[in-house]
Amino acid sequence: KSKWISINGNRLTPRQLEIVTLFASDMPDKQIADRLHITESTLDTHKHHLFEKFGVNSKPGLITKAITNKIIQ
């Protein structure tokens, strides 16, 4: 049975975890989108959903909260 990772009671998908990790790598959004084989618009949609789940308004806020909650290191 796999363990789900949640933030604020919201379960994160494997893709969302991957995106949070890539945000923390300090790559530009275009490079992240290219690496994931998605458009920047699709990445923006993922980003918006992550901001809602994490209760933040920025990538730095997202990364800080992810580290604080031990979602990423």
Side-chain angles (χ1 to χ4, degrees):
K1 187 174 180 180
S2 62
K3 179 184 168 208
W4 291 98
I5 295 176
S6 297
I7 184 81
N8 298 333
N10 298 301
R11 192 164 71 186
L12 299 177
T13 67
R15 185 62 147 190
Q16 288 172 330
L17 288 170
E18 181 179 21
I19 290 169
V20 170
T21 302
L22 289 170
F23 282 163
S25 73
D26 201 31
M27 274 194 265
D29 284 359
K30 176 159 181 25
Q31 191 176 352
I32 292 170
D34 289 346
R35 183 170 180 164
L36 297 173
H37 307 291
I38 60 176
T39 65
E40 283 188 82
S41 176
T42 300
L43 182 62
D44 284 343
T45 300
H46 283 296
K47 191 188 317 180
H48 176 74
H49 291 149
L50 285 165
F51 285 0
E52 285 183 347
K53 284 186 175 186
F54 277 72
V56 298
N57 298 306
S58 67
K59 279 174 55 175
L62 178 78
I63 293 163
T64 299
K65 198 158 188 179
I67 291 169
T68 302
N69 287 276
K70 298 181 177 11
I71 293 170
I72 59 174
Q73 295 181 1

